[in-house]
Amino acid sequence: MDKALILLRGVPGSGKTTLANLLSENGKYPVLSIDDYFTDAGSGDYTFDYKKNHLAYAACQEKTEAEMLKGHAKIFVDNTFIFDWEMEPYHALAKKHRYTLFCMLVENYHGNKNTHHISDEDVVKMAARLKVKLF
């Protein structure tokens, strides 16, 4: 295996970003997220706008492809990826650029809360829709 695209998926607060940053070996490999679109580069403030979610998805996919073109051995993308359609563009990018695709489900065994102020009720709803592909 020469190159890997690793998708980290799970409900908000599960630790996807923390794990991606750990696995990136202190920034040696890129870590991308839809959250990047809503995070102010200067202040680090996060302001989610549902009406711009489609733009965030597109921006993350474009950044992922740009990093693939640089030839990184590993690229990490952390998003909820609750629905299969959210991962499909990354499957296509991996195939196009000859990356082996891995999808990792991150679970919240550490008991942390999400930093995006999503209610526990909404997190439970998201978890109920999360499907796992076994074969």
Side-chain angles (χ1 to χ4, degrees), residues 55-121:
L55 298 172
Y57 277 92
C60 188
Q61 292 162 21
E62 289 171 12
K63 288 180 181 179
T64 300
E65 185 163 30
E67 296 297 341
M68 288 177 159
L69 291 170
K70 293 177 185 176
H72 292 287
K74 300 176 194 172
I75 299 171
F76 298 91
V77 181
D78 68 274
N79 291 320
T80 56
F81 292 121
I82 299 298
F83 302 104
D84 286 344
W85 66 262
E86 296 170 305
M87 292 183 284
E88 288 172 3
Y90 298 94
H91 288 260
L93 286 172
K95 185 175 181 178
K96 178 180 177 181
H97 296 285
R98 296 188 175 158
Y99 273 73
T100 301
L101 179 69
F102 295 94
C103 296
M104 297 174 62
L105 179 62
V106 182
E107 299 178 74
N108 187 351
Y109 279 95
H110 47 73
N112 286 354
K113 295 287 185 177
N114 72 81
T115 59
H116 304 303
H117 310 294
I118 298 171
S119 71
D120 289 348
E121 181 182 327

Side-chain angles (χ1 to χ4, degrees), residues 35-47:
D35 288 346
D36 297 342
Y37 185 86
F38 299 108
T39 304
D40 182 271
S43 68
D45 291 338
Y46 178 83
T47 308

